[in-house]
Amino acid sequence: MKWVIKITRDINKLREEIDKIDKKIVELILNRMNIVHQVGVTKSKDNSRIYVPEREVAIYKKLSDFSGLEADEIQSFYTEIISFCRKLEGILNVGIKYNALSLVGVKKIFGEYVNPVVIHQFEELNLESVKYILTPLSKEIIDFIEKNNWYIINKVNLNEEALYLFSSYNNSIFKDNDVTYILHNGIISKEYIKIDSDLFINLIPFKNLKDFENLNIKILGTIPSI
């Protein structure tokens, strides 16, 4: 029985250590929330973006370098910390077509604190309150973003299907390995997505974008890479 008592005592000591760590984690999150609130006040004065995907990717990369964990592993749990802090700046409205995949995709990108706005057609959106759309690529969404001057800013892969995040706010901080989406009437890159018989979205590394400046192209946006 002595070994049973010793193991129990050891487990209790370890649990006490875990409790201490948990309290420190919550304390740090509260400190982070306070700083995020200060950032939010500054943003509200100049109408800056609340959601900045390239900034979030940079956070995952820095924490990955610090911890030795993969960046996507960091993202899997840190998204919720960022989401919890971001709610101080405002809960974002994201337009989606009604299906389970889109609902999961919204949470995967934004975390728990987001408001999905279900629509049947993109033209139904109130663009004063909805600044984001999550949907697969299609002629309909391409027509919408061209008409309204929106951009591709992020994407999420679920069950081998890609959902793309579109916004009235463009990304503005780029790295060489970020992916730029180019609308063109032909195939000009190794990676491309066919929209219809004479319309393609070509995927170009941001560092190579200048090589295509002389072509008749339209840049739809650049997605940050982890």
Side-chain angles (χ1 to χ4, degrees), residues 84-96:
F84 184 67
C85 294
R86 189 197 297 124
K87 71 174 182 173
L88 295 175
E89 300 179 69
I91 302 295
L92 300 175
N93 297 320
V94 182
I96 62 170

Side-chain angles (χ1 to χ4, degrees), residues 41-219:
V41 170
T42 303
K43 284 182 177 181
S44 65
K45 292 178 180 178
D46 58 10
N47 197 30
S48 298
R49 295 180 291 164
I50 293 176
Y51 171 65
V52 186
E54 63 268 41
R55 164 64 179 156
E56 294 189 7
V57 167
I59 290 173
Y60 305 144
K61 182 66 170 62
K62 286 178 182 178
L63 292 177
S64 173
D65 293 342
F66 168 75
S67 66
L69 297 173
E70 295 295 328
D72 56 353
E73 293 176 325
I74 296 287
Q75 183 180 15
S76 67
F77 66 86
Y78 215 79
T79 295
E80 289 300 336
I81 294 176
I82 293 175
S83 179
F84 184 67
C85 294
R86 189 197 297 124
K87 71 174 182 173
L88 295 175
E89 300 179 69
I91 302 295
L92 300 175
N93 297 320
V94 182
I96 62 170
K97 297 289 187 72
Y98 183 74
N99 59 66
L101 202 62
S102 293
L103 290 169
V104 172
V106 166
K107 300 288 186 179
K108 190 171 179 63
I109 289 178
F110 291 97
E112 185 64 28
Y113 295 95
V114 64
N115 179 38
V117 178
V118 178
I119 55 174
H120 298 287
Q121 295 180 332
F122 300 125
E123 297 298 336
E124 299 173 7
L125 284 173
N126 177 357
L127 299 186
E128 292 298 316
S129 62
V130 178
K131 301 297 183 182
Y132 303 90
I133 295 173
L134 185 67
T135 182
L137 285 172
S138 67
K139 185 67 167 56
E140 180 189 5
I141 187 62
I142 295 303
D143 289 344
F144 174 88
I145 67 172
E146 285 198 285
K147 176 182 176 181
N148 294 283
N149 199 31
W150 278 37
Y151 311 90
I152 298 175
I153 64 167
N154 209 347
K155 82 167 192 172
V156 59
N157 294 314
L158 295 170
N159 298 336
E160 299 183 353
E161 182 172 353
L163 298 177
Y164 293 82
L165 186 67
F166 300 85
S167 176
S168 60
Y169 302 108
N170 195 9
N171 291 335
S172 59
I173 305 169
F174 303 120
K175 305 186 303 298
D176 284 350
N177 64 331
D178 290 345
V179 180
T180 298
Y181 286 67
I182 292 177
L183 192 65
H184 189 58
N185 58 4
I187 299 171
I188 58 176
S189 69
K190 292 181 180 179
E191 290 188 73
Y192 64 90
I193 300 165
K194 183 178 180 180
I195 300 300
D196 58 28
S197 58
D198 59 354
L199 193 62
F200 300 83
I201 295 178
N202 292 268
L203 282 60
I204 307 294
F206 178 74
K207 65 180 179 180
N208 297 338
L209 186 57
K210 60 184 178 182
D211 297 336
F212 300 88
E213 290 176 347
N214 295 327
L215 296 179
N216 182 24
I217 63 173
K218 180 177 178 59
I219 298 173

